[in-house]
Amino acid sequence: MARFDAKRHVVRQALMSLENMGLVSRTPNRGAMVRDFSLTELDQIYEMRHLLQERAIARMPLPASPELLAELRRIHAEHATAVDAWDLPTIYRLNNNFHDTLFGACGNRHLADAIEHYTWLAHAVRSYRMIHRNLAIQAPKEHEEMIAALEAGDRARLQQLCKEHIEPSKDAYRAARAAIEPKAAVGD
């Protein structure tokens, strides 16, 4: 509060918003902390992400429409430029925009919202990909492959690409946690 000259109610609201996004956990009389996941929680969240994304892709009309392909290509080009410039806020925003647009094409708003929910829940984990430059550079290449699979109507390839695309974040989180807590590599 002192550093940013913020009022208590503003800080509380910000922490509440971060908690609702799954980024912060608050404990009464102990304060707020950046959300940490046990390895079991991590696996469960990613299982849900895989299931929901697979279902969304199964519902998508393929090959994708020229309008969807054009929009994804536009977002992809801007995202690649942001990665080259190492503009982290723009990388984050455009990556989310790419995936929201992709999974929004499933035609089921509730399914797309569920994907977005689990994406937000995994935000603390997903951030590991953005801070590792080699992983961040890999993302636009993977997006390009997804667009090609959409255009070709290759549903199985798209499902595989989407599954592989979210794993590096999970692996980086797991590795970082193992470096801090060696026991975390094998259990909770």
Side-chain angles (χ1 to χ4, degrees):
M1 287 171 30
R3 181 176 175 194
F4 296 104
D5 191 30
K7 303 290 183 206
R8 183 178 303 273
H9 73 279
V10 173
V11 172
R12 279 192 183 138
Q13 183 61 44
L15 289 172
M16 204 176 318
S17 294
L18 291 169
E19 183 179 26
N20 289 339
M21 287 190 272
L23 301 177
V24 166
S25 60
R26 296 189 316 163
T27 306
N29 302 320
R30 297 198 68 199
M33 298 187 68
V34 174
R35 179 82 158 84
D36 187 28
F37 295 98
S38 72
L39 297 181
T40 299
E41 287 176 303
L42 180 69
D43 290 339
Q44 291 172 350
I45 290 167
Y46 273 73
E47 179 182 10
M48 288 302 298
R49 291 186 73 199
H50 289 306
L51 289 169
L52 293 167
Q53 290 180 8
E54 184 177 291
R55 182 65 190 136
I57 293 166
R59 292 183 48 83
M60 288 178 190
L62 293 181
S65 71
E67 296 80 18
L68 175 61
L69 292 169
E71 180 63 6
L72 288 171
R73 284 188 179 112
R74 182 192 65 74
I75 297 166
H76 165 67
E78 291 179 22
H79 180 253
T81 299
V83 170
D84 288 343
W86 201 237
D87 179 355
L88 294 177
T90 304
I91 292 169
Y92 172 77
R93 180 181 53 78
L94 291 169
N95 184 66
N96 285 343
N97 195 355
F98 181 89
H99 292 285
D100 290 346
T101 302
L102 172 66
F103 295 117
C106 75
N108 181 329
R109 186 71 246 156
H110 298 286
L111 179 54
D113 287 347
I115 291 169
E116 187 176 340
H117 168 75
Y118 279 95
T119 299
W120 273 108
L121 187 59
H123 179 72
V125 177
R126 292 173 51 237
S127 296
Y128 276 80
R129 183 170 190 150
M130 282 184 23
I131 61 172
H132 290 47
R133 194 172 191 105
N134 61 330
L135 294 178
I137 289 169
Q138 182 182 330
K141 296 172 188 170
E142 294 169 359
H143 290 173
E144 192 170 345
E145 290 180 55
M146 290 175 203
I147 292 169
L150 279 164
E151 186 171 32
D154 190 343
R155 196 176 309 278
R157 178 76 177 134
L158 181 59
Q159 286 178 333
Q160 187 62 35
L161 288 167
C162 288
K163 184 174 184 178
E164 291 170 358
H165 182 66
I166 65 175
E167 287 298 311
S169 304
K170 178 181 161 187
D171 295 342
Y173 184 87
R174 187 180 290 274
R177 196 165 157 175
I180 295 167
E181 307 171 37
K183 292 179 184 176
V186 290
D188 290 338

